[in-house]
Amino acid sequence: MPVTLDKSLLPAAVFGGLIAAGMVGGGALIGSGVVNAQVGNRQVTVRGLAERNVVADLAVLTLSFKAANDDLPTAQTQIDRDLASVRAFLRAQGYPEDQISVGRMQVTDTRAREYGSSQNTIRYILTQSVTVRTTDVQRVATTERALNDLVRQGVQLDFAAPNYVFTRLNEIRPSMIGEATAAARSGAEQFAKDSGAPLGPIRQATQGSFEILAREDIDPEPTSLNKRVRVVATVTYQLR
């Protein structure tokens, strides 16, 4: 929203506050600016926001499954069978072996001292995990929808959504900084126009941290395939 000032008050010690809004390219300008005006040293500080929608380029899918039995060798046989089923399922989904890694198996004795003792619980619980790490993110999204096939085979699968990562931030960093800076200048120019004080050169500029968010605010970022990258630039301009 443009700020309208009484030009007769321009020589005063403080102009007031600035809130600027606008759009530059794919980035939206929002923010607040504080005007620090002094005789011979008038300046305006504004913030420019750039945002861009991106798609994750790396997916990590971890499949965890369990086997439980009072007899440890029997539980081991079951977990080995389930591991073979999981590996076969992943090969059928089209993942090469170098994208599949098997985690360390964990064995829990429920009758050990740290877990307490009960005659009504199964004694041994074995947990095994298999992780897929791939740049074929669309294939992982398809695999996630097919996990019921493993359950039908008797695998006691713990469902967990895959994690999606955007790794190409350096590729879009320069252009997004340019968008954020241009958005900040647009707000400063509007202020200068409304106040009747010509906009001068940049006195100081700082870039905030890049944020990678879920494209939709209701989704958690790690499990969101579609993401939103944002950065804020804060720029101080001299007013002539």
Side-chain angles (χ1 to χ4, degrees), residues 31-110:
S32 60
V34 177
V35 180
N36 179 13
Q38 297 177 355
V39 177
N41 185 29
R42 297 180 301 175
Q43 60 188 36
V44 59
T45 299
V46 292
R47 293 187 180 95
L49 168 67
E51 289 189 331
R52 185 171 300 184
N53 290 333
V54 298
V55 178
D57 56 280
L58 173 66
V60 180
L61 172 65
T62 299
L63 303 180
S64 179
F65 47 97
K66 296 179 180 180
N69 201 285
D70 285 328
D71 180 63
L72 184 57
T74 300
Q76 178 70 67
T77 299
Q78 181 181 343
I79 207 76
D80 290 343
R81 183 186 65 241
D82 290 348
L83 175 59
S85 297
V86 169
R87 295 179 70 105
F89 168 80
L90 293 175
R91 286 194 297 269
Q93 289 290 310
Y95 300 103
E97 284 296 327
D98 61 357
Q99 294 181 355
I100 303 172
S101 60
V102 179
R104 185 178 64 182
M105 185 176 62
Q106 296 180 346
V107 179
T108 301
D109 183 351
T110 62

